mmCIF file of all heavy atoms in Angstrom:
data_model
loop_
_atom_site.group_PDB
_atom_site.id
_atom_site.type_symbol
_atom_site.label_atom_id
_atom_site.label_comp_id
_atom_site.label_asym_id
_atom_site.label_seq_id
_atom_site.Cartn_x
_atom_site.Cartn_y
_atom_site.Cartn_z
ATOM 1 N N ILE N 412 -110.408 -36.947 97.797
ATOM 2 C CA ILE N 412 -109.579 -38.102 97.430
ATOM 3 C C ILE N 412 -110.268 -38.797 96.332
ATOM 4 O O ILE N 412 -111.130 -39.585 96.560
ATOM 5 C CB ILE N 412 -109.343 -39.069 98.709
ATOM 6 C CG1 ILE N 412 -108.733 -38.289 99.859
ATOM 7 C CG2 ILE N 412 -108.470 -40.224 98.250
ATOM 8 C CD1 ILE N 412 -107.300 -37.956 99.778
ATOM 9 N N GLU N 413 -109.794 -38.525 95.092
ATOM 10 C CA GLU N 413 -110.340 -39.204 93.926
ATOM 11 C C GLU N 413 -109.270 -39.820 93.141
ATOM 12 O O GLU N 413 -109.568 -40.713 92.286
ATOM 13 C CB GLU N 413 -111.063 -38.030 93.039
ATOM 14 C CG GLU N 413 -112.185 -37.463 93.702
ATOM 15 C CD GLU N 413 -112.541 -36.104 93.044
ATOM 16 O OE1 GLU N 413 -111.790 -35.158 93.110
ATOM 17 O OE2 GLU N 413 -113.658 -36.076 92.320
ATOM 18 N N VAL N 414 -108.077 -39.230 93.233
ATOM 19 C CA VAL N 414 -107.001 -39.776 92.436
ATOM 20 C C VAL N 414 -106.226 -40.795 93.326
ATOM 21 O O VAL N 414 -105.944 -40.508 94.531
ATOM 22 C CB VAL N 414 -105.990 -38.656 92.079
ATOM 23 C CG1 VAL N 414 -104.890 -39.175 91.162
ATOM 24 C CG2 VAL N 414 -106.860 -37.576 91.380
ATOM 25 N N PRO N 415 -105.881 -41.987 92.841
ATOM 26 C CA PRO N 415 -105.241 -42.982 93.719
ATOM 27 C C PRO N 415 -103.969 -42.414 94.350
ATOM 28 O O PRO N 415 -103.718 -42.729 95.561
ATOM 29 C CB PRO N 415 -104.870 -44.117 92.778
ATOM 30 C CG PRO N 415 -105.934 -44.059 91.645
ATOM 31 C CD PRO N 415 -106.244 -42.533 91.566
ATOM 32 N N SER N 416 -103.247 -41.529 93.747
ATOM 33 C CA SER N 416 -102.028 -41.052 94.388
ATOM 34 C C SER N 416 -102.381 -40.277 95.673
ATOM 35 O O SER N 416 -101.602 -40.289 96.698
ATOM 36 C CB SER N 416 -101.303 -40.062 93.368
ATOM 37 O OG SER N 416 -102.097 -38.956 93.096
ATOM 38 N N ALA N 417 -103.504 -39.598 95.724
ATOM 39 C CA ALA N 417 -103.974 -38.888 96.862
ATOM 40 C C ALA N 417 -104.339 -39.806 97.993
ATOM 41 O O ALA N 417 -104.054 -39.546 99.184
ATOM 42 C CB ALA N 417 -105.103 -37.918 96.538
ATOM 43 N N ALA N 418 -104.887 -40.974 97.625
ATOM 44 C CA ALA N 418 -105.267 -41.949 98.678
ATOM 45 C C ALA N 418 -103.983 -42.520 99.301
ATOM 46 O O ALA N 418 -103.913 -42.696 100.510
ATOM 47 C CB ALA N 418 -106.224 -43.037 98.035
ATOM 48 N N VAL N 419 -103.042 -42.845 98.424
ATOM 49 C CA VAL N 419 -101.799 -43.413 98.940
ATOM 50 C C VAL N 419 -101.058 -42.479 99.843
ATOM 51 O O VAL N 419 -100.514 -42.885 100.834
ATOM 52 C CB VAL N 419 -100.858 -43.859 97.763
ATOM 53 C CG1 VAL N 419 -99.562 -44.318 98.217
ATOM 54 C CG2 VAL N 419 -101.611 -45.000 96.896
ATOM 55 N N LEU N 420 -101.085 -41.216 99.462
ATOM 56 C CA LEU N 420 -100.319 -40.199 100.219
ATOM 57 C C LEU N 420 -101.196 -39.319 101.141
ATOM 58 O O LEU N 420 -100.861 -38.194 101.383
ATOM 59 C CB LEU N 420 -99.496 -39.244 99.292
ATOM 60 C CG LEU N 420 -98.474 -40.043 98.473
ATOM 61 C CD1 LEU N 420 -97.755 -39.084 97.608
ATOM 62 C CD2 LEU N 420 -97.457 -40.721 99.440
ATOM 63 N N ALA N 421 -102.329 -39.979 101.649
ATOM 64 C CA ALA N 421 -103.298 -39.179 102.394
ATOM 65 C C ALA N 421 -102.598 -38.689 103.654
ATOM 66 O O ALA N 421 -102.954 -37.468 104.115
ATOM 67 C CB ALA N 421 -104.515 -40.087 102.823
ATOM 68 N N GLY N 422 -101.659 -39.342 104.265
ATOM 69 C CA GLY N 422 -101.003 -38.807 105.465
ATOM 70 C C GLY N 422 -100.270 -37.567 105.142
ATOM 71 O O GLY N 422 -100.452 -36.556 105.882
ATOM 72 N N GLN N 423 -99.482 -37.516 104.100
ATOM 73 C CA GLN N 423 -98.815 -36.248 103.690
ATOM 74 C C GLN N 423 -99.806 -35.193 103.408
ATOM 75 O O GLN N 423 -99.587 -34.023 103.771
ATOM 76 C CB GLN N 423 -98.006 -36.529 102.409
ATOM 77 C CG GLN N 423 -96.775 -37.374 102.691
ATOM 78 C CD GLN N 423 -95.911 -37.352 101.328
ATOM 79 O OE1 GLN N 423 -96.031 -36.401 100.489
ATOM 80 N NE2 GLN N 423 -95.078 -38.390 101.206
ATOM 81 N N ILE N 424 -100.807 -35.535 102.697
ATOM 82 C CA ILE N 424 -101.830 -34.491 102.376
ATOM 83 C C ILE N 424 -102.402 -33.858 103.566
ATOM 84 O O ILE N 424 -102.558 -32.646 103.753
ATOM 85 C CB ILE N 424 -102.926 -35.108 101.425
ATOM 86 C CG1 ILE N 424 -102.333 -35.219 99.945
ATOM 87 C CG2 ILE N 424 -104.164 -34.301 101.406
ATOM 88 C CD1 ILE N 424 -103.229 -35.917 98.997
ATOM 89 N N LEU N 425 -102.740 -34.727 104.555
ATOM 90 C CA LEU N 425 -103.459 -34.303 105.700
ATOM 91 C C LEU N 425 -102.464 -33.483 106.763
ATOM 92 O O LEU N 425 -102.907 -32.932 107.671
ATOM 93 C CB LEU N 425 -104.074 -35.409 106.468
ATOM 94 C CG LEU N 425 -105.583 -35.691 105.786
ATOM 95 C CD1 LEU N 425 -106.042 -37.069 106.234
ATOM 96 C CD2 LEU N 425 -106.531 -34.588 106.168
ATOM 97 N N GLN N 426 -101.161 -33.591 106.478
ATOM 98 C CA GLN N 426 -100.277 -32.715 107.222
ATOM 99 C C GLN N 426 -100.379 -31.293 106.681
ATOM 100 O O GLN N 426 -99.982 -30.334 107.361
ATOM 101 C CB GLN N 426 -98.832 -33.225 107.149
ATOM 102 C CG GLN N 426 -98.550 -34.426 107.983
ATOM 103 C CD GLN N 426 -97.297 -35.147 107.572
ATOM 104 O OE1 GLN N 426 -96.456 -34.644 106.788
ATOM 105 N NE2 GLN N 426 -97.141 -36.361 108.038
ATOM 106 N N ARG N 427 -100.999 -31.110 105.538
ATOM 107 C CA ARG N 427 -101.028 -29.829 104.984
ATOM 108 C C ARG N 427 -102.439 -29.243 104.809
ATOM 109 O O ARG N 427 -102.702 -28.152 104.272
ATOM 110 C CB ARG N 427 -100.408 -29.909 103.522
ATOM 111 C CG ARG N 427 -98.881 -30.154 103.551
ATOM 112 C CD ARG N 427 -98.378 -30.624 102.277
ATOM 113 N NE ARG N 427 -96.900 -30.783 102.304
ATOM 114 C CZ ARG N 427 -96.321 -31.827 102.722
ATOM 115 N NH1 ARG N 427 -96.976 -32.887 103.290
ATOM 116 N NH2 ARG N 427 -94.970 -31.902 102.821
ATOM 117 N N CYS N 428 -103.483 -30.020 105.198
ATOM 118 C CA CYS N 428 -104.851 -29.544 105.157
ATOM 119 C C CYS N 428 -105.602 -30.154 106.349
ATOM 120 O O CYS N 428 -105.059 -30.944 107.090
ATOM 121 C CB CYS N 428 -105.492 -29.654 103.850
ATOM 122 S SG CYS N 428 -105.874 -31.421 103.403
ATOM 123 N N ASP N 429 -106.899 -29.680 106.465
ATOM 124 C CA ASP N 429 -107.653 -30.117 107.677
ATOM 125 C C ASP N 429 -108.476 -31.396 107.652
ATOM 126 O O ASP N 429 -108.835 -31.948 108.594
ATOM 127 C CB ASP N 429 -108.570 -28.979 108.107
ATOM 128 C CG ASP N 429 -107.795 -27.636 108.212
ATOM 129 O OD1 ASP N 429 -106.720 -27.672 108.964
ATOM 130 O OD2 ASP N 429 -108.109 -26.674 107.567
ATOM 131 N N PHE N 430 -108.906 -31.798 106.407
ATOM 132 C CA PHE N 430 -109.776 -32.997 106.291
ATOM 133 C C PHE N 430 -109.673 -33.508 104.857
ATOM 134 O O PHE N 430 -109.231 -32.753 103.985
ATOM 135 C CB PHE N 430 -111.189 -32.705 106.704
ATOM 136 C CG PHE N 430 -111.906 -31.774 105.646
ATOM 137 C CD1 PHE N 430 -112.732 -32.360 104.756
ATOM 138 C CD2 PHE N 430 -111.756 -30.427 105.659
ATOM 139 C CE1 PHE N 430 -113.365 -31.517 103.781
ATOM 140 C CE2 PHE N 430 -112.384 -29.602 104.719
ATOM 141 C CZ PHE N 430 -113.190 -30.155 103.770
#
Side-chain angles (χ1 to χ4, degrees):
Chain N
I412 303 287
E413 298 163 289
V414 183
S416 63
V419 172
L420 297 181
Q423 285 189 22
I424 284 177
L425 278 164
Q426 281 162 16
R427 293 164 175 83
C428 68
D429 305 308
F430 69 98

